[in-house]
Amino acid sequence: MGLTPLQISRLITIIPDIVFGSLMISRLAFYISFLGSYEKVHAALKRSYYFLNQDVERVVKPNITFLQQYGLTDCDIGKLFQLAPRMIILEPERVKEIVSCAEKIGIPRDSLMFKHALASIYNISPGRVNSRSNLLMKTLGCSEAEVGMAVRRFPYILNSTEDRLTRSVDFLVRKVGLEPNYIVHRPSLLGYSMTRRLVPRHFVLETLKAKGLMKKDKDFYAVVTKSEKAFHKMFLDPYKASVPGLTDAYVAACAGQVPPSVLP
Ligand SMILES: *[C@@H]1O[C@H](CO)[C@@H](O)[C@H](O)[C@H]1NC(C)=O
Ligand SMILES: *[C@@H]1O[C@H](CO)[C@@H](O)[C@H](O)[C@H]1NC(C)=O
C-alpha cells in the first residue's frame, strides 16, 4: 500500500490488532485512496478507528452518497472525515438533525464553514448547541446575534468546555487587556491552546515591551495567528543579543512550562 516503516509503526501504535486483520487492512486501503494519503487517514484514526470495523460497500459508500445529497463534495467529506470520523457512518436521522442544527444557527449548506459546523455540532451533539451558545453569551457578554456571527466564523468555539472557555476569556481580557468585543469578532482566538500558544506569545510581547524594545502595542490576534516560523523571525531572532534567554524561555513555555510574567 506504499506505507513507510515509520507510518506502519505509527499505525500499529494506534491499532495493535491491525496486524491480525486482513479485512481492516483492505478497508484501510479504501480510506487511503479516498482521502489521498495515509497522513489524512492517520488524523482520523487518532480520533476513532471505529470506521475500520464497518463494511465499505454496504455501509460506508451509501453513507458517502447520502452526505453528497447535502451538497458536500468528496473533498468536503474527506475533511469532515478527518475532523469527526464517526459522522461518516451515522444513521440518516442523526445526520439530518445535525444538518438542520447547522442551518438553524445560520450556517447554510453552501458556505465554506458548513463541514466545520457539522463536525463541531457532531462533537458536542445537537442537543448541547443551545447551552453552549448561552455560555458564550454569558462569558463574552454579548448578544445572541453576535454569538451567531462568531459561530459562523469559527464553529469550533461551540466545542469549548465551560472551564476552558472561561479560562481563555479571562486570560485574554484580564492579562492581555483585550475587549470582549474584540474576541467576539476574532473567535478563532479561542481555538488556540492557552498554555501552548496564547500565554507564551503574550509573555514574549510583555518582555519586549518591558525592555523598551517594542514601541507600539502589537495587534494580539495578528501575533497569535502567525506561524511558528514567522513568529521566531519577527519577535525572537532580532533580540537574540539584546534579550538573551528569550527564545529558550519561549520554547519552554510552548512545551507547557509556566513562564515568568516577563524576563528579568
Ligand atoms: C450509515 O451507516 C450507519 C451505520 O453506522 C447505518 O446505520 C446507516 O444506515 C448508513 N446510512 C446510509 C444512508 O446508508
Ligand atoms: C471537540 O472536543 C472534543 C472533546 O471535547 C474533542 O475530542 C474533539 O477533537 C474536538 N473536535 C474538534 C474538531 O476540535
Side-chain angles (χ1 to χ4, degrees):
M1 280 158 53
L3 297 191
T4 66
L6 180 63
Q7 287 173 328
I8 294 172
S9 63
R10 285 164 63 220
L11 172 63
I12 294 174
T13 309
I14 299 182
I15 323 172
D17 285 356
I18 194 137
V19 290
F20 307 113
S22 58
L23 197 53
M24 272 187 167
I25 295 178
S26 70
R27 287 172 185 162
L28 187 67
F30 163 77
Y31 290 101
I32 294 176
S33 90
F34 180 61
L35 296 184
S37 79
Y38 174 72
E39 291 311 316
K40 291 181 178 165
V41 181
H42 191 81
L45 285 171
K46 283 199 299 197
R47 294 180 184 274
S48 162
Y49 57 87
Y50 175 74
F51 58 87
L52 286 184
N53 295 326
Q54 301 295 319
D55 190 289
V56 170
E57 294 301 328
R58 212 166 39 77
V59 176
V60 179
K61 286 187 177 167
N63 263 278
I64 291 176
T65 310
F66 183 69
L67 288 168
Q68 285 166 342
Q69 291 169 12
Y70 290 105
L72 293 164
T73 64
D74 275 1
C75 182
D76 292 334
I77 295 172
K79 187 76 203 164
L80 185 56
F81 180 70
Q82 290 173 68
L83 296 165
R86 303 262 319 225
M87 247 217 82
I88 305 300
I89 29 180
L90 221 50
E91 299 73 46
E93 286 318 307
R94 290 200 53 205
V95 176
K96 282 184 199 153
E97 192 189 2
I98 292 170
V99 167
S100 74
C101 183
E103 292 179 324
K104 220 166 71 202
I105 54 179
I107 305 174
R109 293 180 191 185
D110 60 0
S111 92
L112 284 174
M113 279 295 160
F114 185 59
K115 54 186 174 294
H116 295 284
L118 297 185
S120 187
I121 294 167
Y122 171 77
N123 277 323
I124 65 166
S125 98
R128 296 235 292 273
V129 168
N130 260 340
S131 68
R132 290 295 166 95
S133 301
N134 291 340
L135 172 67
L136 283 165
M137 272 156 58
K138 193 182 86 189
T139 316
L140 290 165
C142 60
S143 67
E144 195 170 353
E146 285 173 316
V147 165
M149 184 201 65
V151 171
R152 283 194 288 284
R153 285 194 186 162
F154 186 68
Y156 296 113
I157 52 170
L158 290 174
N159 202 23
S160 266
T161 60
E162 166 146 28
D163 183 48
R164 182 163 179 246
L165 191 68
T166 314
R167 278 186 302 127
S168 299
V169 172
D170 193 58
F171 173 77
L172 292 169
V173 172
R174 291 196 325 148
K175 291 272 171 32
V176 183
L178 302 177
E179 295 292 334
N181 198 41
Y182 178 95
I183 304 170
V184 175
H185 285 88
R186 293 158 191 82
S188 61
L189 269 177
L190 298 172
Y192 288 99
S193 155
M194 188 164 106
T195 47
R196 289 165 200 283
R197 187 79 157 218
L198 304 181
V199 169
R201 295 207 172 179
H202 176 247
F203 154 73
V204 170
L205 294 182
E206 287 300 292
T207 299
L208 295 177
K209 252 187 353 206
K211 297 194 176 292
L213 294 166
M214 223 174 55
K215 297 285 172 278
K216 264 192 10 221
D217 263 354
K218 297 283 177 205
D219 178 60
F220 193 68
Y221 177 76
V223 173
V224 165
T225 49
K226 280 202 188 338
S227 70
E228 209 52 58
K229 199 169 145 205
F231 183 78
H232 274 260
K233 205 167 144 206
M234 276 187 76
F235 297 100
L236 295 167
D237 297 349
Y239 307 105
K240 283 217 153 82
S242 47
V243 194
L246 183 59
T247 301
D248 289 344
Y250 171 75
V251 171
C254 291
Q257 222 174 76
V258 180
S261 58
V262 296
L263 275 193

